């Protein structure tokens, strides 16, 4: 079956309904059943809806109100397996903080199956926090309300910012308590993803599967995510995954997003952002910024993310080698294949750089400069980031203020920096790049790429703390702001303001919770 193009033989999209009425596909279960454990989610005591994503539901041909009904909620809680779904826990391995774990897998998640969105794209629908599986190790298989609503906020923010990401379809409360440092209310998240195939999935396959199965896994990845690559062209597949990740990392770096746990099991072969547990958006621009409580060495600090992505991609490249070298004893062929794969991996740097520069030129308005001059733009961007780092300027707000400088509020950034002479020199060079152009139009274009609202850490914490106590209003307000990030609206001033003094220094988030 063609995994990508709309399937003309498929029955017409069912009318809007619950997950029970949806036209499920289960291609992973059918083709890769050996790559997971077939089992149903574990029911919960008292499911109740906390969040339903109307926009995403409609996109999938589902009725948001039906999802909120008791019947819809029973599906989303894992209490009733939707008709046509075939739940399974996926197996995968992964390098965690550089250490290889040969068996991870979904310890608290169940893939229900796949649905097509309105464009015909196949999307995984999976529950998270839905009970123990053969891959749970010591874990309880459950999730708490706070981290699941964090996944909603961050996914919706990334999506609104135009960054490829998995998204939450729904969160339901379980009515049960999960024990973490303290007892917390439990929740199940329904996640929609281009797929849940990870670098770590490929590592697991390379370790455990026959060459035939390795080839069928690679074919599945290719068909599902990179169908333009020729069948059996493993270097081409590597190049496609490298390219998707280079673009993703450029997006993260331009927007100041820190994933937090870039283990190989948290990197999707589709190029979507996934499993951003202890993630955060930068406040002060700082290449050294770390927010994850468990990242004590700063391996996944903001500035290290592109090189970590490249390291992870090298692990992916290793999984494709057995397919390219039928006879591992032939050292000449092995050497040639490794050299070719290394060249493809090196391509990450150029692709990343080009994508990042394009994003940053748009953020600084330089896309609209009077003359094209890449060297000038690179220098201006690097010098701006240095000035921001030196004074710990807020990443998001500084770019927003630059547009106001163009609108004549020339002191807007200057008054925030200590090196005002240095700032004046930068600002002069920057303004000179526009020649006599209509800078008001440039400022408007900048406002369409520089968000006013991101899920700022102090606001996220405040919203999650209230939600944990049963008050969803702060979560809903913050969600509305981050879903509409580019237009400043009266009453939302506090969502655009940096965290109070001292908050960010001590700010850490926790994963696996
Ligand atoms: P994460 O850090 O959330 O990406 O998870 C890393 C691994 O730990 C994955 O294999 C998860 O399925 C597993 N895991 C995390 N939390 C739990 C939990 N509460 N119960 C069982 N497995 C878990
Ligand atoms: Mg994970």
């Amino acid at each position: 079956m063609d995994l990508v193009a709309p399937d003309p033989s498929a029955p017409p999209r069912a009318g809007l309904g619950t997950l029970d009425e949806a036209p499920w596909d289960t291609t992973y279960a059918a083709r890769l059943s050996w790559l997971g454990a077939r089992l149903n989610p574990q029911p919960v005591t008292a499911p109740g809806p906390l969040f339903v994503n109307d926009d995403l539901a409609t996109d999938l041909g589902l009725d948001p109100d039906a999802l909120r009904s008791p019947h819809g909620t029973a599906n989303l809680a894992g209490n009733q397996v939707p008709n046509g779904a075939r739940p399974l826990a996926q197996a995968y391995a992964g390098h965690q903080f550089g250490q290889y774990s040969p068996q991870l897998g979904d310890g608290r998640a169940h893939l229900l199956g796949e649905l097509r969105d309105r464009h015909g794209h196949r999307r995984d629908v999976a529950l998270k926090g839905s009970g123990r599986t053969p891959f749970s190790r010591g874990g309880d298989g459950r999730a708490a309300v706070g981290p699941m609503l964090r996944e909603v906020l961050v996914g919706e923010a990334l999506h609104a910012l135009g960054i490829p990401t998995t998204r939450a379809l729904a969160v339901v409360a379980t009515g049960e308590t999960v024990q973490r440092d303290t007892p917390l209310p439990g929740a199940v998240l329904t996640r929609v993803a281009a797929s849940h195939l990870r670098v770590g999935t490929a590592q697991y396959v390379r370790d455990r599967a026959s060459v035939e199965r390795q080839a069928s896994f690679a074919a599945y990845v290719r068909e599902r995510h990179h169908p333009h690559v020729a069948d059996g062209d493993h270097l081409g597949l590597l190049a496609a995954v490298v390219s998707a990740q280079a673009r993703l990392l450029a997006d993260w770096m331009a927007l100041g997003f820190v994933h937090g746990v870039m283990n190989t099991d948290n990197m999707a072969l589709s190029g979507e952002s996934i499993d951003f547990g202890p993630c955060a958006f930068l406040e002060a621009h700082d290449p050294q910024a770390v927010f994850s409580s468990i990242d004590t060495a700063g391996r996944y600090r903001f500035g290290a993310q592109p090189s970590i992505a490249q390291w992870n991609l090298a692990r992916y490249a290793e999984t494709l080698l057995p397919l390219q070298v039928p006879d591992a004893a032939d050292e000449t062929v092995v050497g040639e294949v490794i050299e070719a794969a290394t060249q493809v991996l090196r391509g990450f740097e150029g692709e990343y750089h080009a994508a990042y520069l394009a994003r940053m030129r748009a953020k600084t308005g330089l896309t609209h400069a009077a003359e094209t001059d890449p060297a000038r733009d690179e220098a201006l961007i690097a010098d701006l980031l240095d000035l921001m780092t030196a004074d710990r300027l807020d990443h998001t707000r500084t770019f927003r203020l630059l547009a106001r400088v163009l609108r004549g509020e020339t002191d807007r950034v200057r008054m925030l920096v200590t090196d005002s002479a240095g700032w004046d020199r930068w600002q002069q060079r920057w303004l000179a790049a526009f020649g006599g152009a209509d800078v008001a139009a440039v400022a408007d274009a900048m406002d369409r790429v520089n968000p006013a609202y991101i899920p700022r850490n102090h606001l996220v914490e405040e919203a999650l703390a209230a939600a944990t106590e049963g008050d969803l209003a702060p979560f809903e307000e913050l969600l509305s702001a981050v879903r509409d990030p580019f237009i400043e609206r009266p009453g939302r001033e506090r969502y655009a303001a940096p965290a109070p003094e001292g908050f960010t220094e001590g700010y850490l988030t926790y994963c696996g919770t």
Side-chain angles (χ1 to χ4, degrees), residues 92 198 265-266 275:
Y92 49 85
R198 307 150 191 269
D265 53 301
N266 292 336
D275 275 4

Side-chain angles (χ1 to χ4, degrees), residues 239 242-251 306-307 309-310 313 342-359 374 378:
V242 165
S243 176
Q245 283 294 333
R247 283 177 276 126
L248 179 67
L249 267 288
D251 288 346
S307 57
Q310 201 180 13
L313 290 164
T342 305
Q343 287 306 326
V344 173
L345 286 167
R346 290 217 179 98
F348 178 91
E349 287 150 40
E351 282 209 59
Y352 166 76
H353 191 72
Y356 179 69
L357 187 61
R359 273 273 194 185
E378 291 216 35

Side-chain angles (χ1 to χ4, degrees), residues 182-193:
T182 53
L184 294 169
V188 177
L189 172 100
T190 307
R191 181 200 267 171
V192 174

Side-chain angles (χ1 to χ4, degrees), residues 92 96 104-109 128 131-132 135-143 180 198 261 263 265-266 275 277-278 294 511-513:
Y92 49 85
Q96 301 186 301
L104 294 169
D106 288 334
R108 53 168 173 172
K128 178 170 175 178
R132 286 179 53 80
F135 309 112
S136 297
R137 297 170 290 159
D140 61 2
R142 293 299 182 190
R180 297 294 180 257
R198 307 150 191 269
V261 241
N263 294 334
D265 53 301
N266 292 336
D275 275 4
I294 54 173
C511 74
T513 43

Side-chain angles (χ1 to χ4, degrees), residues 60-80:
L60 290 170
L62 303 166
D63 174 2
D65 290 329
L67 293 182
R68 287 186 187 91
S69 71
H71 176 180
T73 303
N75 291 148
L76 297 167
N79 283 18
Q80 195 182 324

Side-chain angles (χ1 to χ4, degrees), residues 174-507:
T174 59
E176 296 172 4
T177 300
V178 292
Q179 188 58 41
R180 297 294 180 257
D181 288 343
T182 53
L184 294 169
V188 177
L189 172 100
T190 307
R191 181 200 267 171
V192 174
S195 84
H196 288 79
L197 304 170
R198 307 150 191 269
V199 170
T201 321
Q203 291 178 293
Y204 184 95
V205 171
R206 188 265 329 265
D207 281 358
R208 309 217 176 193
S210 64
V211 175
E212 289 70 35
R213 281 183 169 176
Q214 292 181 44
S216 69
F217 175 74
Y220 188 81
V221 174
R222 181 192 72 78
E223 286 175 56
R224 200 149 166 191
H225 298 303
H226 306 291
H228 57 281
V229 173
D231 189 13
D233 176 5
H234 300 297
L235 272 185
L237 180 58
L238 175 63
V241 174
V242 165
S243 176
Q245 283 294 333
R247 283 177 276 126
L248 179 67
L249 267 288
D251 288 346
W252 288 358
M253 297 306 288
L255 270 304
F257 179 70
V258 187
H259 178 286
V261 241
M262 289 179 66
N263 294 334
T264 57
D265 53 301
N266 292 336
M267 182 182 263
L269 298 176
S270 64
E272 282 184 340
S273 314
I274 193 170
D275 275 4
F276 27 82
C279 59
F281 282 83
L282 289 181
E283 292 261 330
H285 182 83
D286 178 6
Q288 305 302 326
V290 175
F291 297 103
S292 166
S293 62
I294 54 173
D295 190 5
T296 44
R299 178 182 169 88
Y300 298 141
R301 63 190 180 279
F302 175 63
Q305 295 188 116
S307 57
I308 289 288
Q310 201 180 13
W311 189 90
N312 289 349
L313 290 164
R315 306 289 77 75
Y316 179 55
E318 288 163 2
T319 72
L320 294 169
L321 292 180
L323 295 173
Q324 295 165 274
V325 189
D327 178 7
D330 187 339
E331 283 177 24
T332 315
V333 177
V334 172
E336 282 168 9
V337 167
I338 290 177
E339 177 53 29
T342 305
Q343 287 306 326
V344 173
L345 286 167
R346 290 217 179 98
F348 178 91
E349 287 150 40
E351 282 209 59
Y352 166 76
H353 191 72
Y356 179 69
L357 187 61
R359 273 273 194 185
M360 295 304 284
R361 289 178 78 228
K363 285 176 77 67
T364 48
L366 289 166
T367 324
H368 307 278
E371 281 157 31
T372 309
D373 182 347
R376 173 203 60 203
D377 293 354
E378 291 216 35
L380 274 169
I381 291 160
D383 294 348
L384 172 64
L385 294 177
D386 283 347
L387 284 159
M388 288 167 63
T389 307
D391 275 307
R392 301 189 59 75
L393 298 191
D394 185 85
H395 182 92
T396 299
R397 194 168 66 147
T398 303
F399 288 102
R400 198 75 191 181
L401 289 179
L402 282 180
R404 296 178 63 164
V405 171
L406 286 187
R407 294 192 181 103
E409 299 177 45
T410 48
D411 271 356
R412 282 314 292 252
V413 185
R414 188 181 196 273
M415 64 195 193
L416 301 172
V417 300
T418 37
D419 176 12
S420 32
W423 180 261
D424 288 342
R425 283 194 298 277
W426 185 85
Q427 190 162 306
Q428 257 177 10
R429 283 161 58 210
W430 177 55
L431 292 174
F434 299 108
D438 172 10
V439 287
V442 177
D444 290 347
M446 288 168 69
D447 277 353
R448 290 193 286 272
V449 295
N450 292 321
Y453 309 119
I454 51 163
R456 289 183 178 273
N457 308 316
H458 65 294
L459 299 169
V460 171
E461 293 306 327
E462 177 190 281
L464 301 186
T468 300
E469 298 297 319
D471 174 12
L472 286 169
F475 162 79
E476 280 161 7
E477 277 173 45
L478 178 57
L479 182 61
S480 305
V482 302
R483 280 177 152 179
D484 181 22
F486 298 113
I487 298 174
E488 280 170 74
R489 302 195 190 272
R492 289 194 173 155
E493 292 74 15
R494 66 186 294 261
Y495 297 109
E501 196 81 39
F503 179 88
T504 304
E505 285 68 44
Y507 182 67

